[in-house]
Each structure stands twice: as structure tokens, then as C-alpha cells.
Amino acid sequence: MSKLQNLIAELCPAGVARVKIDDLIAYEQPTKYLVASKSYDDGYSTPVLTAGQTFLLGYTNEEHGKYPASADSPVIIFDDFTTAYKWVDFEFKVKSSAMKMLTLKPNAPITLRYFWYALSTISIDTSEHARYWISKFSNLDIPLPPVAIQNEIVRILDTFSKLETALEEELKARTAQYQTYRRRLLTSEKDPSLFAEHTLGGISLKVSSGSTPLADSDRFYRDGTIPWLRTQEVKFNEIWETEVKVTDVALKETGIKWVPENCVIIAISGATAGRSAVNKIPLTTNQHCCNFQIDPEKADYRYVFHWVASHYEDIKSFGRGVRSDLSAGQLKEYPIHLPPLDMQIEIATALEKFDKLTRDTSSGLPAEIAARRQQFEYYRRKLLAFKGLEVA
């Protein structure tokens, strides 16, 4: 038997009781820590947390009123509108009054880290958002084994978590290395004579966009088989399928049109503007995708994709209006420096090998991280699924 199984057999053979959160956890609404300034800079030292899934709003240099959490004295930040929560073991300030700081009540027979993991076992109905903690959350319950068992569960889950974190750090380092490598391969500074300046429009056989069939029209979507791409799916990736399919009727009666495979697709709308992808299947798109069918006699589409992806920030900066949208005209005139075709193919092939390591969800580091995450979730569910305490 494992150490955990031995502990369960010894300390709670009859099962484990479920205890109300309110009997274990204290909470505080830290309005007194509201940040006074809206001036944030990544060079400042104090994180400012806010409500929502992301939590980190920015960094401030304002020292007064920050909460002195640390590795020895952590807290859990809980957002009572989204029910998201975060482990915080660093000094911080908060921006939203929707956030609660969760700590242990005096003499509560539970560790905060175990509670952090046990939060994943409760089912939360978020249909009523208003102050979920006060009205309902404190009355929910969690399994509460003896502290020795809690500590062993935490040790096991922390081990899995550290492995995942190490892989994520390695992926971050590999991605930075890849971006440096890509810039070096795509630059024309070493031998300008090998690189000729063109425009994206000038190396394309065709530049097109699409349209959006009426969302409430069943005949455009029901039982559709034609892939239809939206800009939220354009993420510097290869497109092998789309989340939405449309019908033959939509193809005949609306402005959507087929885009052949291996086009370079650039999003031109709002938050997605400047992001790029390559479609590996024929598909249709909405009107916020600008689709470049690259002339194979002038350029390798993979090289063009890597060039566009590496110039994302510059392309995005051309956005105009409230939504910072781009136009097809701007993109057609965007410059690209091309070496001879055989060199383009060589560079694109080298970049694809590196790209596979950092982006491919079926292999490389992303696949390993996904596998570790799945393993962690499996063991977390298994370790926290205690037999209920038998009551005479």
C-alpha cells in the first residue's frame, strides 16, 4: 500500500466527513487596499490584482497599503463574481471590491494549501453572480480528512504542479529562443543583396475576404459542412478545422467564398488585428480575415507566414479607429523582403522544426504540458474523492 493508503486505513477507515467552508475559512473584503493610482508599469514592483480570470492588472510603485502575503503567509484571492481563485504568496494590492482574501480561521483543522486543492471538488452555480461568497459559497462543504492525510495529498499534487511549471518555464525559454532565431533567419542585414523588397499584395495571386451569414438563420448553419473561419481562431497557427460550419445555401446566397489551402490569413479586426495563420484545408472566412493566396513562383507561403508572424507588432500598429482595425489595402502594401525561392524554402523548413517544438499540441513541449496537466487533473480528482463518513 502507498503511504496515503496507509494513512487513510489508519486514520479514517470509516470515511471522511464533509465540513462547511464557513467553519474553516475566514474571508476579508480588502477595500482598504484599493490602489489610488491608475498608473501601472511592468518596471514597478508591486502587483495589482483585479477581478476576473486573469487577476493581474499591472504593477504599481505605490507601497502604502499593500497586503504582506509571502511564501510563509499566503492567502487565496477569490473573486465572488466569476468564482475564480488564485494562490497568492507575494505582496500585492487589489483594485476590485469583488475580491476576497481567504485565510484559515484560528485552530481550523485544515491547511490552506489543502483547501486550495479542495476548492476544485465543489460545484458552483454561477447563474447568480451577486456576492456569491456571502450568500452561498460559505455554506458549501469540502471533504476534510486528518491533517496528516491533507499534507500527503498536497505533497503529491504539488509534485505534479512543479513538473508542469518547470515545463511551462522551459517552453517560455524555448519560445524566446525561437523568436530570436526567427528574427535572425528572416533579416536581410547580413547580406542585403540576397533579399529583394516586395509587397504582400505583389506576391499574391489573389487577396480576398469573406462575410458573416445571418447568425439567426438556420438554413445558413444547421447541418453545415463547409468550414467557416472566424478571427478568434487565427492564432499564429495552422488551421485544420473550424469551430463553425456553414451550408451550401450560405455559400450561394452570401458573400462567403472558398479560400484554397495554404493561404496566409491575417486578422484585421480589433483585438485580433495582425494575428496570422495558414489554412491547411480549403475553407471560407468571415469579413475580418484577409486571405493571401501566395504565388508559388514568387514566394514560399510558409516563409511569408513566418515573416508576417514575426512582424505582428509592426502590422498591428497600423490599426485605425476605436477598434484599431486594419484594412486589406494596408496589408497589400506591407513590405516583405524575399531571398531566392530555394533559400525561402530552406529557412521555412528550419523554422517549422523549431515551431513544432513550441506550438504543436500533438508533439513537443505543448503536448507534454497538456499530458502533465491531464495527469494532474486525474490525480487531483482521485486523491480528493473520499468515501463519505458512515453515520450510525
Side-chain angles (χ1 to χ4, degrees):
M1 295 178 68
S2 68
K3 180 180 178 181
L4 181 60
Q5 288 173 321
N6 285 330
L7 286 171
I8 292 173
E10 176 187 352
L11 300 175
C12 50
V16 171
R18 297 188 69 90
V19 179
K20 280 204 315 181
I21 291 174
D22 192 47
D23 294 334
L24 305 166
I25 301 298
Y27 69 90
E28 179 181 357
Q29 187 170 318
T31 52
K32 62 182 179 181
Y33 301 122
L34 285 175
V35 67
S37 170
K38 291 186 178 179
S39 177
Y40 305 114
D41 191 289
D42 288 346
Y44 295 149
S45 60
T46 303
V48 179
L49 307 181
T50 189
Q53 297 290 336
T54 56
F55 278 105
L56 181 62
L57 181 65
Y59 294 86
T60 180
N61 60 352
E62 185 177 310
E63 295 292 317
H64 176 71
K66 63 184 180 183
Y67 191 86
S70 66
D72 295 326
S73 182
V75 299
I76 295 173
I77 293 293
F78 181 87
D79 171 15
D80 63 7
F81 283 117
T82 67
T83 68
Y85 49 90
K86 180 176 179 62
W87 183 265
V88 179
D89 55 6
F90 48 82
E91 293 186 321
F92 66 94
K93 300 189 72 172
V94 302
K95 182 69 172 66
S96 172
S97 61
M99 300 167 71
K100 306 292 186 295
M101 295 187 303
L102 310 186
T103 55
L104 300 181
K105 284 189 173 181
N107 302 317
I110 189 173
T111 68
L112 192 66
R113 190 66 174 176
Y114 173 81
F115 176 70
W116 159 258
Y117 285 127
L119 276 172
S120 67
T121 69
I122 62 179
S123 179
I124 300 175
D125 178 9
T126 57
S127 59
E128 297 180 19
H129 289 286
R131 294 300 181 262
Y132 195 94
W133 170 268
I134 295 172
S135 62
K136 292 185 178 180
F137 192 75
S138 60
N139 288 313
L140 299 174
D141 56 52
I142 59 170
L144 188 66
V147 171
I149 294 176
Q150 297 177 36
N151 289 338
E152 181 61 10
I153 290 173
V154 167
R155 184 191 68 78
I156 295 170
L157 293 178
D158 276 352
T159 299
F160 281 113
S161 183
K162 287 174 184 176
L163 288 172
E164 184 180 326
T165 299
L167 286 171
E168 288 172 344
E169 289 300 319
E170 183 180 353
L171 178 59
K172 188 183 300 183
R174 291 279 190 174
T175 300
Q177 184 183 23
Y178 165 64
Q179 291 171 346
T180 300
Y181 179 57
R182 183 175 64 181
R183 284 194 298 270
R184 189 174 300 159
L185 286 180
L186 294 173
T187 185
S188 60
E189 293 176 0
K190 288 185 178 180
D191 190 350
S193 64
L194 287 174
F195 290 75
E197 182 170 315
H198 300 264
T199 63
L200 290 179
I203 61 169
S204 299
L205 294 171
K206 184 178 181 181
V207 180
S208 65
S209 62
S211 69
T212 300
L214 285 173
D216 58 356
S217 179
D218 281 352
R219 64 198 188 97
F220 292 155
Y221 295 95
R222 185 184 293 276
D223 300 323
T225 59
I226 298 171
W228 180 67
L229 183 70
R230 299 170 298 167
T231 53
Q232 55 261 54
E233 299 171 76
V234 177
K235 302 174 182 178
F236 308 105
N237 55 330
E238 291 184 341
I239 307 294
W240 289 92
E241 62 178 349
T242 61
E243 295 173 358
V244 179
K245 306 289 194 301
V246 295
T247 63
D248 289 327
V249 175
L251 188 63
K252 294 174 182 176
E253 298 185 8
T254 72
I256 65 172
K257 52 186 71 71
W258 280 109
V259 178
E261 64 184 2
N262 295 332
C263 288
V264 176
I265 298 173
I266 305 176
I268 60 176
S269 174
T272 65
R275 295 195 319 212
S276 52
V278 171
N279 61 311
K280 302 304 293 181
I281 57 170
L283 47 70
T284 62
T285 75
N286 69 12
Q287 68 273 26
H288 302 302
C289 293
C290 190
N291 314 308
F292 291 84
Q293 183 180 348
I294 306 302
D295 185 344
E297 295 186 0
K298 295 180 179 179
D300 182 88
Y301 73 91
R302 300 173 305 159
Y303 183 93
V304 177
F305 164 71
H306 287 297
W307 175 276
V308 169
S310 70
H311 288 74
Y312 164 68
E313 293 292 345
D314 186 50
I315 292 172
K316 183 180 177 182
S317 71
F318 287 98
R320 295 290 180 267
V322 176
R323 289 165 46 87
S324 297
D325 288 349
L326 299 168
S327 70
Q330 289 173 313
L331 293 178
K332 286 179 184 179
E333 295 302 315
Y334 193 79
I336 179 170
H337 296 94
L338 295 177
L341 190 57
D342 59 346
M343 184 183 254
Q344 293 178 41
I345 294 171
E346 182 181 349
I347 290 173
T349 301
L351 288 174
E352 282 192 340
K353 292 178 181 177
F354 218 131
D355 193 57
K356 193 176 185 67
L357 178 65
T358 58
R359 293 186 186 275
D360 192 340
T361 57
S362 64
S363 64
L365 286 171
E368 191 172 352
I369 289 172
R372 288 290 187 184
R373 188 167 296 144
Q374 187 176 28
Q375 186 181 37
F376 171 81
E377 293 297 335
Y378 168 79
Y379 279 104
R380 182 169 65 177
R381 289 192 300 269
K382 188 177 180 66
L383 291 173
L384 294 170
F386 293 98
K387 180 177 70 172
L389 184 63
E390 297 176 3
V391 180

